[in-house]
Amino acid sequence: MKQAILKLDGLTCPSCMQKIEHAVAGVAGVQDVKVLFNAAKMKAHFDAEQTDADHLANVIQGLGYTVESVNVKD
């Protein structure tokens, strides 16, 4: 299991958090996801055999938010 930490931009309200969490949680291989509104970050644990951090970033960008950086930890 790997952890993705994505720095986000464009979060304006708590509903943005819920929108992102719901979309990323629906990606196959994602075990848990948490958006930290005040830090403008999203953390998710995922199975690297089913998805990757770049795909999670694409899902968020598809919702209209900017992903400033992507970090992956083992």
Side-chain angles (χ1 to χ4, degrees), residues 33-51:
V33 58
K34 180 75 177 167
V35 174
L36 308 170
F37 183 77
N38 290 333
K41 290 183 179 177
M42 185 212 71
K43 295 182 178 182
H45 287 95
F46 64 95
D47 181 347
E49 293 183 9
Q50 295 185 33
T51 191

Side-chain angles (χ1 to χ4, degrees), residues 22-36:
H22 181 73
V24 173
V27 174
V30 173
Q31 185 175 24
D32 60 66
V33 58
K34 180 75 177 167
V35 174
L36 308 170

Side-chain angles (χ1 to χ4, degrees), residues 3 9 13 29 35 38 41-42 44 47 52 59 62 64-66 71:
Q3 182 182 34
D9 189 29
C13 63
V35 174
N38 290 333
K41 290 183 179 177
M42 185 212 71
D47 181 347
D52 59 29
V59 168
Y65 301 101
T66 301
N71 291 314

Side-chain angles (χ1 to χ4, degrees), residues 6-24 35 37 40 42 56-69:
L6 283 69
K7 177 80 174 142
L8 308 175
D9 189 29
L11 300 181
T12 58
C13 63
S15 67
C16 297
M17 276 178 15
Q18 294 173 340
K19 189 174 175 182
I20 292 169
E21 286 178 347
H22 181 73
V24 173
V35 174
F37 183 77
M42 185 212 71
L56 301 181
N58 288 338
V59 168
I60 294 169
Q61 289 172 331
L63 296 172
Y65 301 101
T66 301
V67 176
E68 294 182 343
S69 66

